[in-house]
Amino acid sequence: MLRLEDPPLLRGQGMYTDDLHRSAQLVMKVLRAPVAHANIAHLDVSKAEKLSGVHCVLTAQNPEISALKPMRCRASLAGTEFTEPDRPVLAGQQVKHVGEAIAAVVAESDAIAQDALELISIAFNSLTAQPDVQQSSLSNVDIWPDIPGNCAFTWEKGNASETATLFDNADHIIKATIAHPRMAITPIEPRSCLAEFNHQDQCYTLHTPSQGVISLQRALCGFMSIETEKLRVVTNEVGGSFAVKIWPYAEQLLTLAAAKITGRPIKFTATRTEALQTDIAGRGRVDHAELALDKNGIFKAFRINALADMGAYLNAVAPFVVTSGAVRPFGQAYKIPGMHYRVKAIYTNTIPTDAYRGAGKPESACTLERMIDMAAVELNIDPFELRQRNLITPADLPYQTPMSETYDAGNYPALAESLLEASEWHLLSQRKAKSAQHNKLRGASAGFYLHATGGSTDERSEVCAMPNGDIVVRTGIQDNGQGHRTALALVAAKALQVDVKRVRVEQGDTQWLKKGGGTGGSNLMSVVATTVHRASTTMLTKARSLAGQLLDIQPDSLDYQNGTFTHSPSNQSIELAEIALRSAGSNSALDGHSDSEPDCTGVAEFEGTHTTFPTGGCVVEVELDPETGAVNIDRYTGIDDLGNIYNEATATGQIHGGIAQAAGEVLMEQLVYDDNGQLLSGSMMDYQIARASDLPALNTQFVETDAPNNILGAKGVGELTSIGAPGPIHNAVIDALKDFGITHLDKPLTPVKIWRAIQQSKPTQSEHSA
């Protein structure tokens, strides 16, 4: 079955935030800092305010803006002190990064607003900028004068003492510094919002793309110092997020303030350049890593001493990403007795970083896989075989890691054997020889990975039978392209034995939704689907009782099948739709009163264990042109274990999407700043993302092992290959370059970087003569 979401979207019937228009709507444009670090010496908006068609110009001095609380993060690291500066909605005295909002113009049209921006007079006293995390950690430049060394916090986890001892006794130690550059998240739909204010009841409405309206509502209300009942947040279609739209942004608060000031609806939609300048960035970590092995190539210990680039401020959950997010599946699918991770979080004059598909795990996984390939070269062991020697086995399960995770399922050795066959690893040498005949270099590598799914467990699901025969499912999760409606409709349809096309999944409106943690951590199947399943069975239990009353028959004597209760001895039956019609209450949860339930409704809140461990392995082969440095991913073979798959089409889409993002991460993507903090990759002409032509036909397959802690037997999928694929892609390119003596290049592995490395490795003519 294909996705239920697709037909209306393909026909252009989707409703995204920028598609919304109000008759009296005004537009907002933002004046942004053109420098990365400076004091604001002068700001005069008087000419802009006088321009015909301008309704207001907001600055930090406006009472409505100064009344807003600073946009602080919501992290709390147990036992760790961290220093967090206030982040203003509009900069009033100093700017800390290019693109920081200074003023906002509200006008009748985009053109008028743009003209008004150009009438604003502003001057700066420049300060030294520090955009590089490694230099920032060592420099004397005070990004925040009250924070020594620009350090937000330090944090560590693992069995440090045991790890140190294992390194002391190791036969081989591999060391490397591996950088994971900042990335722009670039969903196809830019950030957007439409704010309205009702002066009669003093309530706001905000339409905006999100990954969950409840958490966004709470955050915005906290900054505005209002009760949640005063702000309705609505999310319709979302054109991609990958975490960038979870968080509150200044523009949302500015449009809400402007709506109250003007009494008119206010629309803001970011341009692509604004998005690249101001959207929260992903990744941004430098790992000083070590891997210890014995003489037989058995892994003994793994440790990382990391620098994490936080940007100019701490974003919403950014501290979690570089701490607990980085270490949950720290050793991936390998048995490693000693593990230790230490991170120093550093402020830089750049846009803040936060979670991006995988949230700290892709960095750790890629670093480990790079170290394993380096070890394979040093020990002269086939890289696939080296990994096989160190895989966790079924006999090891449940497997307790030094990072306090307990892997509950998976058969990694069997997966490896299947992957060897599917990838035709034994014929690799022949394919390398064939590439050489065409003056190409072929490289290959493998990797074994897993994800410890998580996300919020603050979920309440409702399942209601309707008189017209439909089944309505309401949930706090938010689809942003993954196919949540399809997955949850299938879960409810299976539990209720009804046609999936009769199931309607609703989400994204705080007017009726009072609880919901939103999408994140691949929590759809582990948290929300299990809750929808339980709500469905609860609804059936209530419907059975109601059917007994309506038929004057003992409920236990009724059989249920395909949406109908039947009493065989009396040949009586009644459908769910008729039960809903004849027992409908006036106080329905589906009418906005979610604390009460209609008669034919089941309600459930999440219970149980939210973590599942999807696993996988892949083999990647690349062809590289030494004359140009261009890399082509020629073969990708992946086998993934997602437990019980409810819809293979959507699961495959998630696997493929993660691979595409991994390819972009390794081969082309990087937010580049110059020494003054100016963004050099500030347009799609300068920031390259993966296209279909950058990928081969992907050979992906599924196997299934039990998910013992999940009542559906299902495991999360959304972040699995974005965690596991970067390392093998990276390693395959380095393998292709090994004859040039190139042992490591940092991402992104662009053609020019590879070409230069090849040229530098070639002996000069004078060396040949000598």
Side-chain angles (χ1 to χ4, degrees):
M1 191 192 84
L2 299 178
R3 302 193 325 162
L4 300 174
E5 292 89 344
D6 290 341
L9 297 179
L10 292 171
R11 296 186 183 109
Q13 297 168 350
M15 182 58 67
Y16 297 88
T17 301
D18 195 54
D19 294 327
L20 298 172
H21 297 282
R22 301 291 186 260
S23 58
Q25 177 178 299
L26 302 173
V27 299
M28 184 183 81
K29 282 192 171 293
V30 179
L31 177 69
R32 303 191 182 278
V35 293
H37 196 195
N39 290 318
I40 299 174
H42 167 76
L43 178 64
D44 184 357
V45 301
S46 58
K47 289 184 179 179
E49 290 175 321
K50 294 174 184 177
L51 183 66
S52 177
V54 171
H55 287 254
C56 69
V57 179
L58 301 177
T59 69
Q61 283 66 49
N62 286 86
E64 295 82 1
I65 302 304
S66 60
L68 296 172
K69 292 181 179 178
M71 299 176 66
R72 297 177 70 88
C73 80
R74 60 174 188 257
S76 177
L77 301 176
T80 301
E81 293 184 7
F82 61 90
T83 309
E84 180 187 6
D86 288 342
R87 183 182 186 183
V89 176
L90 289 174
Q93 298 178 331
Q94 192 175 99
V95 295
K96 298 290 187 179
H97 65 85
V98 169
E100 187 166 4
I102 298 172
V105 172
V106 176
E108 292 286 345
S109 69
D110 280 334
I112 294 172
Q114 186 61 47
D115 288 344
L117 285 182
E118 296 173 7
L119 293 175
I120 296 176
S121 175
I122 189 167
F124 300 94
N125 291 327
S126 294
L127 300 170
T128 303
Q130 190 51 268
D132 182 84
V133 65
Q134 296 189 78
Q135 293 180 11
S136 182
S137 68
L138 300 172
S139 76
N140 295 319
V141 174
D142 292 326
I143 296 174
W144 295 102
D146 296 331
I147 301 176
N150 301 321
C151 182
F153 58 86
T154 59
W155 185 91
E156 62 184 303
K157 189 167 185 178
N159 51 354
S161 178
E162 182 180 346
T163 298
T165 300
L166 289 166
F167 269 98
D168 289 341
N169 297 322
D171 295 304
H172 302 277
I173 297 177
I174 309 300
K175 297 182 179 183
T177 296
I178 298 170
H180 305 278
R182 284 168 157 262
M183 297 175 63
I185 300 176
T186 59
I188 193 169
E189 176 205 24
R191 289 188 294 110
S192 183
C193 49
L194 173 64
E196 300 172 273
F197 181 74
N198 187 319
H199 281 276
Q200 184 173 354
D201 59 14
Q202 296 290 293
C203 288
Y204 300 85
T205 299
L206 180 71
H207 294 265
T208 192
S210 74
Q211 285 186 215
V213 291
I214 290 291
S215 61
L216 185 58
Q217 177 197 47
R218 289 171 181 168
L220 293 172
C221 287
F223 299 142
M224 298 169 69
S225 302
I226 61 174
E227 299 298 320
T228 55
E229 291 78 12
K230 292 294 183 180
L231 172 62
R232 178 187 180 190
V233 180
V234 182
T235 293
N236 295 313
E237 252 78 51
V238 182
S241 178
F242 311 109
V244 75
K245 295 171 184 171
I246 298 178
W247 329 117
Y249 284 86
E251 293 86 357
Q252 293 162 331
L253 291 165
L254 291 171
T255 55
L256 289 166
K260 183 175 182 180
I261 292 169
T262 63
R264 302 269 293 272
I266 310 295
K267 168 79 75 67
F268 167 80
T269 299
T271 65
R272 185 60 68 183
T273 295
E274 280 183 299
L276 287 165
Q277 279 192 342
T278 64
D279 282 3
I280 296 307
R283 312 296 185 244
R285 207 176 88 192
V286 179
D287 291 348
H288 302 286
E290 297 177 279
L291 178 65
L293 305 91
D294 70 11
K295 62 183 179 182
N296 296 314
I298 302 302
F299 303 158
K300 307 307 293 184
F302 173 52
R303 62 189 176 194
I304 293 176
N305 191 9
L307 289 175
D309 183 353
M310 309 310 294
Y313 304 93
L314 291 184
N315 203 58
V317 301
F320 294 138
V321 174
V322 300
T323 56
S324 56
V327 301
R328 293 197 67 196
F330 191 67
Q332 292 297 299
Y334 308 106
K335 268 193 295 190
I336 309 178
M339 294 183 191
H340 184 236
Y341 171 84
R342 183 179 186 272
V343 63
K344 188 175 183 180
I346 302 297
Y347 289 114
T348 60
N349 289 116
T350 57
I351 190 70
T353 56
D354 210 310
Y356 168 47
R357 198 173 190 172
K361 302 169 191 70
E363 298 94 302
S364 299
C366 186
T367 292
L368 176 57
E369 293 292 355
R370 284 293 299 121
M371 303 300 287
I372 295 173
D373 257 34
M374 290 177 183
V377 172
E378 179 166 316
L379 278 65
N380 194 28
I381 301 174
D382 178 271
F384 201 110
E385 181 185 340
L386 181 58
R387 287 173 169 84
Q388 280 185 295
R389 293 182 190 183
N390 289 280
L391 289 173
I392 297 165
T393 70
D396 298 317
L397 298 174
Y399 179 73
Q400 178 76 40
T401 79
M403 295 300 186
S404 304
E405 289 292 339
T406 303
Y407 300 167
D408 58 10
N411 190 335
Y412 309 102
L415 188 150
E417 290 297 330
S418 298
L419 191 58
L420 273 174
E421 181 179 353
S423 66
E424 299 178 310
W425 183 264
H426 64 289
L427 299 178
L428 175 60
S429 60
Q430 296 179 24
R431 292 192 292 273
K432 285 191 173 186
K434 187 174 182 181
S435 294
Q437 292 173 4
H438 297 89
N439 299 316
K440 299 291 178 65
L441 305 173
R442 180 172 291 266
S445 191
F448 296 90
Y449 46 83
L450 75 157
H451 179 30
T453 65
S456 174
T457 59
D458 191 24
E459 169 63 18
R460 173 176 178 172
S461 299
E462 299 175 357
V463 177
C464 184
M466 305 299 287
N468 66 351
D470 287 349
I471 302 294
V472 174
V473 175
R474 280 188 164 173
T475 169
I477 207 165
Q478 182 62 53
D479 190 353
N480 40 97
Q482 305 96 320
H484 288 173
R485 291 186 179 94
T486 298
L488 297 181
L490 284 164
V491 169
K494 185 174 182 179
L496 300 175
Q497 301 177 37
V498 298
D499 184 349
V500 68
K501 294 181 180 178
R502 299 310 302 263
V503 181
R504 187 172 77 248
V505 177
E506 298 181 351
Q507 55 192 337
D509 191 340
T510 59
Q511 183 169 345
W512 53 261
L513 179 65
K514 302 305 176 186
K515 187 173 184 178
T519 298
S522 302
N523 66 340
L524 172 67
M525 298 308 294
S526 60
V527 173
V528 183
T530 60
T531 311
V532 167
H533 173 82
R534 290 176 46 248
S536 299
T537 57
T538 299
M539 187 270 277
L540 274 185
T541 299
K542 294 179 67 174
R544 179 182 294 277
S545 178
L546 292 168
Q549 296 176 29
L550 294 170
L551 298 177
D552 195 22
I553 295 171
Q554 284 293 325
D556 292 344
S557 66
L558 293 170
D559 296 320
Y560 177 80
Q561 189 173 13
N562 301 329
T564 302
F565 288 98
T566 303
H567 185 249
S568 299
S570 63
N571 200 28
Q572 295 187 78
S573 64
I574 187 168
E575 296 181 350
L576 284 174
E578 185 177 353
I579 298 171
L581 178 66
R582 294 172 61 182
S583 62
S586 59
N587 54 344
S588 170
L590 298 180
D591 293 329
H593 304 283
S594 62
D595 290 333
S596 57
E597 303 171 17
D599 292 333
C600 208
T601 291
V603 178
E605 299 195 4
F606 175 73
E607 295 178 359
T609 301
H610 74 290
T611 300
T612 63
F613 294 94
T615 64
C618 67
V619 170
V620 179
E621 293 184 32
V622 303
E623 263 199 340
L624 189 152
D625 184 347
E627 296 300 317
T628 64
V631 173
N632 174 51
I633 301 176
D634 187 60
R635 291 165 66 99
Y636 184 100
T637 306
I639 302 178
D640 296 286
D641 178 0
L642 311 180
N644 181 24
I645 296 175
Y646 268 73
N647 182 254
E648 190 166 322
T650 51
T652 300
Q654 289 295 291
I655 291 293
H656 287 185
I659 297 166
Q661 286 182 281
E665 178 171 340
V666 175
L667 300 179
M668 59 196 74
E669 295 192 52
Q670 182 180 12
L671 282 170
V672 180
Y673 293 87
D674 69 11
D675 292 342
N676 296 314
Q678 290 293 332
L679 181 63
L680 303 182
S681 51
S683 77
M684 298 309 285
M685 293 292 289
D686 305 298
Y687 189 90
Q688 185 180 1
I689 59 174
R691 294 168 170 80
S693 58
D694 295 310
L695 296 169
L698 301 171
N699 177 12
T700 56
Q701 306 170 27
F702 295 114
V703 295
E704 179 182 339
T705 62
D706 187 29
N709 294 321
N710 184 278
I711 60 175
L712 302 177
K715 306 173 184 179
V717 57
E719 296 159 283
L720 184 59
T721 47
S722 65
I723 293 169
I729 296 172
H730 196 159
N731 283 333
V733 177
I734 302 302
D735 181 55
L737 294 168
K738 65 183 178 183
D739 288 345
F740 291 100
I742 297 169
T743 59
H744 181 71
L745 295 173
D746 274 328
K747 299 177 290 186
L749 303 177
T750 59
V752 66
K753 182 182 290 186
I754 292 170
W755 182 85
R756 285 175 176 166
I758 290 173
Q759 300 311 305
Q760 291 168 4
S761 72
K762 289 181 177 179
T764 64
Q765 186 63 42
S766 60
E767 288 173 328
H768 274 301
S769 300

